[in-house]
Amino acid sequence: METLLKDIGATINQETQTLQVNELENEAIYIFREVAAQFERPVLLFSGGKDSITLVRLAQKAFWPAKIPFPLLHIDTGHNFPETIEFRDRLVDELGLELIVRHVQDSINQGKVVEETGKYASRNILQTTTLLDAIEEFKFDACIGGARRDEEKARAKERIFSVRDDFGQWDEKNQRPELFDMLNGTIELGQNVRVFPISNWTELDVWSYILKEQIEIPSIYFAHKRHTFLRDGLIWSAQDEVVFRAKEEAVKERTVRFRTVGDMSCTAAVESDADTIEKVVAEIRISKISERGARIDDKRSEAAMEKRKQQGYF
């Protein structure tokens, strides 16, 4: 009887999750269509991670049978996981999408930003300058991103249409109300809007949608054997020259996966045997730790993310 009740409970939870994901999908499609209707030069910010891949699928559905009517923009730090870049290029080729890539290395070469050095050096923060330059270069008035409210507390403060000033800055104390799903895309000269179609989603919602739609994602999200080392209680990849490793930090092969895909230098892995989407969903259901717990760039200060967003971060 106990086993039967557990099975019934699992079935009810799964059906409830499916209904919720369907509602979230409808909301996201509505947002995409509002973007197309209200803005002249939108762009989808694409990292090759699961959230931006989910955005691509939602955009496909929003405009089917036509192609997605705006390009993808990837701000390439040069420190991405190779699996992510390979997947990005293959996806764009298969779907016939326009991809714009701008490189952080160019911003470094131009003297606009200074590369960090040392144990915790990362190019993640440097992306902001490259992004703002790209927005200015192409005159984008709406940048669609994959931020979710459960990622980090600063995310929850933003609206779905989040206005940035002509310097790319976000004022968290001066935001428009969004009542009854009324999205106001009116902007002044020089301003642009960051749009978050999956703002009301959670990590579990994204994975449930990936399962429902059978969306292909980079292999790095699934359990695999990888040479790693430990630092500050986190598991770091040791097979990439980008990641700093001290001599005393011993390398060991572990079975790991990555819950989030950022720079190699700031994204840690988690030990896991989840090698299928079904197993990942089951793992996320019982996890008590946010995926951002594996992002060292969020730990620099309690307000790290909020400060970056104020300066023009995604």
Side-chain angles (χ1 to χ4, degrees):
M1 177 62 72
E2 184 177 348
T3 302
L4 177 60
L5 290 174
K6 286 184 179 180
D7 290 342
I8 293 173
T11 301
I12 292 173
N13 288 338
Q14 185 174 355
E15 290 177 351
T16 301
Q17 185 71 43
T18 299
L19 289 172
Q20 179 175 332
V21 166
N22 288 340
E23 291 178 1
L24 292 171
E25 179 190 61
N26 291 336
E27 178 188 49
I29 287 173
Y30 163 72
I31 293 167
F32 268 111
R33 290 172 177 169
E34 283 295 304
V35 170
Q38 297 192 43
F39 298 97
E40 295 182 4
R41 295 188 62 81
V43 68
L44 194 157
L45 303 178
F46 189 81
S47 68
K50 65 183 186 307
D51 296 327
S52 57
I53 293 169
T54 296
L55 287 179
V56 169
R57 173 59 60 88
L58 291 165
Q60 282 183 285
K61 287 196 168 190
F63 303 109
W64 181 264
K67 285 188 176 182
I68 297 174
F70 38 74
L72 275 54
L73 171 63
H74 182 208
I75 303 301
D76 188 350
T77 65
H79 291 175
N80 298 282
F81 289 97
E83 297 95 325
T84 306
I85 298 300
E86 184 276 330
F87 182 90
R88 178 201 71 185
D89 293 342
R90 181 159 49 86
L91 178 70
V92 167
D93 183 62
E94 289 176 356
L95 299 182
L97 302 176
E98 178 186 355
L99 173 66
I100 299 170
V101 181
R102 287 298 178 265
H103 301 273
V104 170
Q105 185 63 55
D106 291 337
S107 298
I108 296 172
N109 295 342
Q110 295 163 7
K112 294 180 176 180
V113 294
V114 178
E115 183 150 27
E116 297 179 348
T117 59
K119 188 175 182 180
Y120 298 105
S122 171
R123 288 186 174 182
N124 201 44
I125 295 177
L126 307 186
Q127 295 179 82
T128 299
T129 296
T130 312
L131 171 63
L132 295 179
D133 284 348
I135 293 172
E136 177 62 26
E137 177 185 355
F138 293 97
K139 306 302 180 185
F140 293 129
D141 52 3
C143 299
I144 305 163
R148 306 187 323 267
R149 295 191 186 279
D150 70 325
E151 285 183 289
E152 201 277 343
K153 58 187 178 182
R155 302 283 199 192
K157 294 182 180 180
E158 281 202 279
R159 304 294 188 261
I160 291 173
F161 276 16
S162 183
V163 179
R164 300 298 203 271
D165 66 20
D166 52 358
F167 295 102
Q169 298 174 325
W170 170 62
D171 182 358
E172 77 284 4
K173 296 179 180 178
N174 184 24
Q175 297 189 87
R176 301 170 178 171
E178 288 180 340
L179 305 175
F180 311 111
D181 295 326
M182 298 295 290
L183 303 176
N184 181 1
T186 303
I187 54 176
E188 302 294 335
L189 182 65
Q191 291 182 331
N192 63 82
V193 172
R194 304 296 166 81
V195 181
F196 304 113
I198 60 172
S199 181
N200 290 325
W201 298 44
T202 65
E203 182 187 11
L204 179 59
D205 292 328
V206 170
W207 277 105
S208 297
Y209 190 70
I210 290 170
L211 175 61
K212 170 179 171 287
E213 295 286 313
Q214 290 297 293
I215 301 173
E216 185 182 0
I217 58 174
S219 59
I220 199 168
Y221 279 110
F222 300 111
H224 59 284
K225 292 187 181 297
R226 197 177 192 93
H227 289 100
T228 61
F229 66 95
L230 295 178
R231 179 192 298 152
D232 301 330
L234 299 175
I235 302 171
W236 300 92
S237 175
Q239 62 191 54
D240 310 296
E241 296 180 359
V242 167
V243 183
F244 174 89
R245 181 173 62 84
K247 292 181 179 179
E248 65 272 13
E249 293 174 324
V251 175
K252 177 182 177 181
E253 187 178 72
R254 295 177 173 86
T255 301
V256 300
R257 73 177 192 88
F258 290 83
R259 287 179 67 182
T260 179
V261 178
D263 260 16
M264 291 183 288
S265 57
C266 66
T267 307
V270 294
E271 289 194 281
S272 171
D273 61 359
D275 56 2
T276 67
I277 297 177
E278 291 82 0
K279 289 181 180 179
V280 170
V281 171
E283 183 178 273
I284 297 300
R285 284 186 184 280
I286 62 175
S287 177
K288 296 181 179 179
I289 301 174
S290 164
E291 64 179 311
R292 300 295 295 196
R295 291 290 292 270
I296 195 67
D297 51 322
D298 286 349
K299 300 178 184 294
R300 296 190 174 201
S301 74
E302 288 189 7
M305 175 64 78
E306 187 161 327
K307 288 181 179 178
R308 278 180 286 159
K309 291 173 78 64
Q310 290 169 347
Q311 296 166 357
Y313 187 73
F314 293 0

PDB file of all heavy atoms in Angstrom, residues 219-238:
ATOM      1  N   SER A 219      26.370  17.829 -23.785  1.00  0.00           N
ATOM      2  CA  SER A 219      26.652  16.628 -22.992  1.00  0.00           C
ATOM      3  C   SER A 219      27.198  16.954 -21.610  1.00  0.00           C
ATOM      4  O   SER A 219      27.116  16.131 -20.692  1.00  0.00           O
ATOM      5  CB  SER A 219      27.664  15.750 -23.742  1.00  0.00           C
ATOM      6  OG  SER A 219      28.879  16.478 -23.981  1.00  0.00           O
ATOM      7  N   ILE A 220      27.719  18.148 -21.436  1.00  0.00           N
ATOM      8  CA  ILE A 220      28.333  18.539 -20.165  1.00  0.00           C
ATOM      9  C   ILE A 220      27.323  18.565 -19.019  1.00  0.00           C
ATOM     10  O   ILE A 220      27.683  18.485 -17.854  1.00  0.00           O
ATOM     11  CB  ILE A 220      29.028  19.912 -20.329  1.00  0.00           C
ATOM     12  CG1 ILE A 220      30.054  20.130 -19.229  1.00  0.00           C
ATOM     13  CG2 ILE A 220      28.016  21.036 -20.377  1.00  0.00           C
ATOM     14  CD1 ILE A 220      30.947  21.307 -19.492  1.00  0.00           C
ATOM     15  N   TYR A 221      26.024  18.666 -19.349  1.00  0.00           N
ATOM     16  CA  TYR A 221      24.977  18.681 -18.328  1.00  0.00           C
ATOM     17  C   TYR A 221      24.704  17.292 -17.747  1.00  0.00           C
ATOM     18  O   TYR A 221      24.011  17.179 -16.740  1.00  0.00           O
ATOM     19  CB  TYR A 221      23.673  19.224 -18.918  1.00  0.00           C
ATOM     20  CG  TYR A 221      23.608  20.728 -18.993  1.00  0.00           C
ATOM     21  CD1 TYR A 221      23.661  21.384 -20.223  1.00  0.00           C
ATOM     22  CD2 TYR A 221      23.500  21.505 -17.844  1.00  0.00           C
ATOM     23  CE1 TYR A 221      23.598  22.767 -20.298  1.00  0.00           C
ATOM     24  CE2 TYR A 221      23.441  22.879 -17.914  1.00  0.00           C
ATOM     25  CZ  TYR A 221      23.484  23.509 -19.143  1.00  0.00           C
ATOM     26  OH  TYR A 221      23.418  24.883 -19.210  1.00  0.00           O
ATOM     27  N   PHE A 222      25.224  16.261 -18.399  1.00  0.00           N
ATOM     28  CA  PHE A 222      24.983  14.898 -17.943  1.00  0.00           C
ATOM     29  C   PHE A 222      26.240  14.316 -17.288  1.00  0.00           C
ATOM     30  O   PHE A 222      27.359  14.754 -17.568  1.00  0.00           O
ATOM     31  CB  PHE A 222      24.543  14.018 -19.114  1.00  0.00           C
ATOM     32  CG  PHE A 222      23.288  14.486 -19.779  1.00  0.00           C
ATOM     33  CD1 PHE A 222      23.307  15.015 -21.066  1.00  0.00           C
ATOM     34  CD2 PHE A 222      22.077  14.431 -19.119  1.00  0.00           C
ATOM     35  CE1 PHE A 222      22.151  15.460 -21.675  1.00  0.00           C
ATOM     36  CE2 PHE A 222      20.903  14.876 -19.710  1.00  0.00           C
ATOM     37  CZ  PHE A 222      20.944  15.390 -20.991  1.00  0.00           C
ATOM     38  N   ALA A 223      26.028  13.333 -16.428  1.00  0.00           N
ATOM     39  CA  ALA A 223      27.133  12.709 -15.696  1.00  0.00           C
ATOM     40  C   ALA A 223      28.154  12.110 -16.667  1.00  0.00           C
ATOM     41  O   ALA A 223      27.796  11.410 -17.610  1.00  0.00           O
ATOM     42  CB  ALA A 223      26.592  11.645 -14.755  1.00  0.00           C
ATOM     43  N   HIS A 224      29.418  12.403 -16.407  1.00  0.00           N
ATOM     44  CA  HIS A 224      30.507  11.872 -17.225  1.00  0.00           C
ATOM     45  C   HIS A 224      31.770  11.877 -16.379  1.00  0.00           C
ATOM     46  O   HIS A 224      31.878  12.602 -15.385  1.00  0.00           O
ATOM     47  CB  HIS A 224      30.709  12.730 -18.481  1.00  0.00           C
ATOM     48  CG  HIS A 224      31.018  14.170 -18.185  1.00  0.00           C
ATOM     49  ND1 HIS A 224      30.046  15.071 -17.766  1.00  0.00           N
ATOM     50  CD2 HIS A 224      32.173  14.878 -18.221  1.00  0.00           C
ATOM     51  CE1 HIS A 224      30.599  16.262 -17.582  1.00  0.00           C
ATOM     52  NE2 HIS A 224      31.892  16.165 -17.839  1.00  0.00           N
ATOM     53  N   LYS A 225      32.734  11.060 -16.753  1.00  0.00           N
ATOM     54  CA  LYS A 225      34.006  11.019 -16.031  1.00  0.00           C
ATOM     55  C   LYS A 225      34.855  12.194 -16.479  1.00  0.00           C
ATOM     56  O   LYS A 225      34.969  12.483 -17.670  1.00  0.00           O
ATOM     57  CB  LYS A 225      34.725   9.692 -16.283  1.00  0.00           C
ATOM     58  CG  LYS A 225      34.027   8.487 -15.661  1.00  0.00           C
ATOM     59  CD  LYS A 225      34.861   7.240 -15.798  1.00  0.00           C
ATOM     60  CE  LYS A 225      34.144   6.033 -15.197  1.00  0.00           C
ATOM     61  NZ  LYS A 225      33.930   6.188 -13.746  1.00  0.00           N
ATOM     62  N   ARG A 226      35.441  12.887 -15.490  1.00  0.00           N
ATOM     63  CA  ARG A 226      36.217  14.076 -15.807  1.00  0.00           C
ATOM     64  C   ARG A 226      37.352  14.223 -14.791  1.00  0.00           C
ATOM     65  O   ARG A 226      37.175  13.934 -13.606  1.00  0.00           O
ATOM     66  CB  ARG A 226      35.311  15.316 -15.758  1.00  0.00           C
ATOM     67  CG  ARG A 226      35.875  16.541 -16.455  1.00  0.00           C
ATOM     68  CD  ARG A 226      34.855  17.679 -16.398  1.00  0.00           C
ATOM     69  NE  ARG A 226      35.233  18.764 -17.281  1.00  0.00           N
ATOM     70  CZ  ARG A 226      34.823  18.891 -18.536  1.00  0.00           C
ATOM     71  NH1 ARG A 226      34.020  17.976 -19.074  1.00  0.00           N
ATOM     72  NH2 ARG A 226      35.214  19.923 -19.268  1.00  0.00           N
ATOM     73  N   HIS A 227      38.505  14.659 -15.259  1.00  0.00           N
ATOM     74  CA  HIS A 227      39.614  14.932 -14.346  1.00  0.00           C
ATOM     75  C   HIS A 227      39.319  16.244 -13.624  1.00  0.00           C
ATOM     76  O   HIS A 227      39.098  17.286 -14.259  1.00  0.00           O
ATOM     77  CB  HIS A 227      40.925  15.016 -15.113  1.00  0.00           C
ATOM     78  CG  HIS A 227      41.387  13.690 -15.628  1.00  0.00           C
ATOM     79  ND1 HIS A 227      41.213  13.277 -16.928  1.00  0.00           N
ATOM     80  CD2 HIS A 227      41.988  12.648 -14.983  1.00  0.00           C
ATOM     81  CE1 HIS A 227      41.697  12.063 -17.084  1.00  0.00           C
ATOM     82  NE2 HIS A 227      42.171  11.647 -15.921  1.00  0.00           N
ATOM     83  N   THR A 228      39.311  16.180 -12.315  1.00  0.00           N
ATOM     84  CA  THR A 228      38.887  17.322 -11.498  1.00  0.00           C
ATOM     85  C   THR A 228      39.812  17.500 -10.304  1.00  0.00           C
ATOM     86  O   THR A 228      40.635  16.639  -9.989  1.00  0.00           O
ATOM     87  CB  THR A 228      37.450  17.124 -10.994  1.00  0.00           C
ATOM     88  OG1 THR A 228      37.411  15.943 -10.177  1.00  0.00           O
ATOM     89  CG2 THR A 228      36.469  16.956 -12.151  1.00  0.00           C
ATOM     90  N   PHE A 229      39.633  18.633  -9.618  1.00  0.00           N
ATOM     91  CA  PHE A 229      40.327  18.856  -8.348  1.00  0.00           C
ATOM     92  C   PHE A 229      39.396  19.639  -7.426  1.00  0.00           C
ATOM     93  O   PHE A 229      38.418  20.248  -7.881  1.00  0.00           O
ATOM     94  CB  PHE A 229      41.651  19.595  -8.556  1.00  0.00           C
ATOM     95  CG  PHE A 229      41.508  21.003  -9.062  1.00  0.00           C
ATOM     96  CD1 PHE A 229      41.491  22.085  -8.177  1.00  0.00           C
ATOM     97  CD2 PHE A 229      41.388  21.267 -10.417  1.00  0.00           C
ATOM     98  CE1 PHE A 229      41.364  23.384  -8.639  1.00  0.00           C
ATOM     99  CE2 PHE A 229      41.262  22.569 -10.889  1.00  0.00           C
ATOM    100  CZ  PHE A 229      41.253  23.635 -10.000  1.00  0.00           C
ATOM    101  N   LEU A 230      39.703  19.597  -6.140  1.00  0.00           N
ATOM    102  CA  LEU A 230      38.871  20.266  -5.150  1.00  0.00           C
ATOM    103  C   LEU A 230      39.489  21.586  -4.717  1.00  0.00           C
ATOM    104  O   LEU A 230      40.700  21.697  -4.513  1.00  0.00           O
ATOM    105  CB  LEU A 230      38.690  19.372  -3.911  1.00  0.00           C
ATOM    106  CG  LEU A 230      37.934  18.058  -4.105  1.00  0.00           C
ATOM    107  CD1 LEU A 230      37.892  17.289  -2.787  1.00  0.00           C
ATOM    108  CD2 LEU A 230      36.523  18.317  -4.610  1.00  0.00           C
ATOM    109  N   ARG A 231      38.619  22.591  -4.577  1.00  0.00           N
ATOM    110  CA  ARG A 231      39.033  23.879  -4.016  1.00  0.00           C
ATOM    111  C   ARG A 231      37.834  24.510  -3.338  1.00  0.00           C
ATOM    112  O   ARG A 231      36.765  24.607  -3.941  1.00  0.00           O
ATOM    113  CB  ARG A 231      39.571  24.824  -5.091  1.00  0.00           C
ATOM    114  CG  ARG A 231      39.977  26.202  -4.499  1.00  0.00           C
ATOM    115  CD  ARG A 231      40.229  27.217  -5.585  1.00  0.00           C
ATOM    116  NE  ARG A 231      41.325  26.792  -6.419  1.00  0.00           N
ATOM    117  CZ  ARG A 231      41.452  27.139  -7.703  1.00  0.00           C
ATOM    118  NH1 ARG A 231      40.511  27.869  -8.284  1.00  0.00           N
ATOM    119  NH2 ARG A 231      42.484  26.730  -8.391  1.00  0.00           N
ATOM    120  N   ASP A 232      38.008  24.925  -2.105  1.00  0.00           N
ATOM    121  CA  ASP A 232      36.943  25.594  -1.348  1.00  0.00           C
ATOM    122  C   ASP A 232      35.670  24.754  -1.297  1.00  0.00           C
ATOM    123  O   ASP A 232      34.550  25.274  -1.313  1.00  0.00           O
ATOM    124  CB  ASP A 232      36.623  26.965  -1.951  1.00  0.00           C
ATOM    125  CG  ASP A 232      37.825  27.887  -1.968  1.00  0.00           C
ATOM    126  OD1 ASP A 232      38.684  27.743  -1.079  1.00  0.00           O
ATOM    127  OD2 ASP A 232      37.910  28.748  -2.863  1.00  0.00           O
ATOM    128  N   GLY A 233      35.834  23.431  -1.266  1.00  0.00           N
ATOM    129  CA  GLY A 233      34.693  22.536  -1.171  1.00  0.00           C
ATOM    130  C   GLY A 233      33.957  22.329  -2.482  1.00  0.00           C
ATOM    131  O   GLY A 233      32.913  21.673  -2.509  1.00  0.00           O
ATOM    132  N   LEU A 234      34.474  22.884  -3.578  1.00  0.00           N
ATOM    133  CA  LEU A 234      33.845  22.748  -4.885  1.00  0.00           C
ATOM    134  C   LEU A 234      34.729  21.922  -5.815  1.00  0.00           C
ATOM    135  O   LEU A 234      35.943  21.813  -5.621  1.00  0.00           O
ATOM    136  CB  LEU A 234      33.599  24.125  -5.506  1.00  0.00           C
ATOM    137  CG  LEU A 234      32.656  25.056  -4.720  1.00  0.00           C
ATOM    138  CD1 LEU A 234      32.605  26.426  -5.386  1.00  0.00           C
ATOM    139  CD2 LEU A 234      31.259  24.459  -4.618  1.00  0.00           C
ATOM    140  N   ILE A 235      34.102  21.343  -6.833  1.00  0.00           N
ATOM    141  CA  ILE A 235      34.797  20.472  -7.785  1.00  0.00           C
ATOM    142  C   ILE A 235      35.052  21.247  -9.071  1.00  0.00           C
ATOM    143  O   ILE A 235      34.123  21.735  -9.714  1.00  0.00           O
ATOM    144  CB  ILE A 235      33.957  19.218  -8.096  1.00  0.00           C
ATOM    145  CG1 ILE A 235      33.647  18.452  -6.805  1.00  0.00           C
ATOM    146  CG2 ILE A 235      34.682  18.321  -9.086  1.00  0.00           C
ATOM    147  CD1 ILE A 235      32.653  17.321  -7.003  1.00  0.00           C
ATOM    148  N   TRP A 236      36.325  21.339  -9.460  1.00  0.00           N
ATOM    149  CA  TRP A 236      36.708  22.113 -10.640  1.00  0.00           C
ATOM    150  C   TRP A 236      37.294  21.205 -11.715  1.00  0.00           C
ATOM    151  O   TRP A 236      37.953  20.208 -11.419  1.00  0.00           O
ATOM    152  CB  TRP A 236      37.742  23.176 -10.265  1.00  0.00           C
ATOM    153  CG  TRP A 236      37.228  24.135  -9.251  1.00  0.00           C
ATOM    154  CD1 TRP A 236      37.352  24.044  -7.891  1.00  0.00           C
ATOM    155  CD2 TRP A 236      36.458  25.310  -9.497  1.00  0.00           C
ATOM    156  NE1 TRP A 236      36.720  25.093  -7.276  1.00  0.00           N
ATOM    157  CE2 TRP A 236      36.163  25.887  -8.240  1.00  0.00           C
ATOM    158  CE3 TRP A 236      36.002  25.934 -10.649  1.00  0.00           C
ATOM    159  CZ2 TRP A 236      35.425  27.056  -8.115  1.00  0.00           C
ATOM    160  CZ3 TRP A 236      35.274  27.101 -10.542  1.00  0.00           C
ATOM    161  CH2 TRP A 236      34.995  27.649  -9.273  1.00  0.00           C
ATOM    162  N   SER A 237      37.070  21.569 -12.965  1.00  0.00           N
ATOM    163  CA  SER A 237      37.632  20.811 -14.076  1.00  0.00           C
ATOM    164  C   SER A 237      39.132  21.025 -14.142  1.00  0.00           C
ATOM    165  O   SER A 237      39.616  22.158 -14.087  1.00  0.00           O
ATOM    166  CB  SER A 237      36.983  21.237 -15.392  1.00  0.00           C
ATOM    167  OG  SER A 237      37.591  20.590 -16.482  1.00  0.00           O
ATOM    168  N   ALA A 238      39.858  19.922 -14.286  1.00  0.00           N
ATOM    169  CA  ALA A 238      41.318  19.996 -14.369  1.00  0.00           C
ATOM    170  C   ALA A 238      41.821  19.709 -15.775  1.00  0.00           C
ATOM    171  O   ALA A 238      43.034  19.682 -16.004  1.00  0.00           O
ATOM    172  CB  ALA A 238      41.945  18.994 -13.390  1.00  0.00           C
TER     173      ALA A 238
END
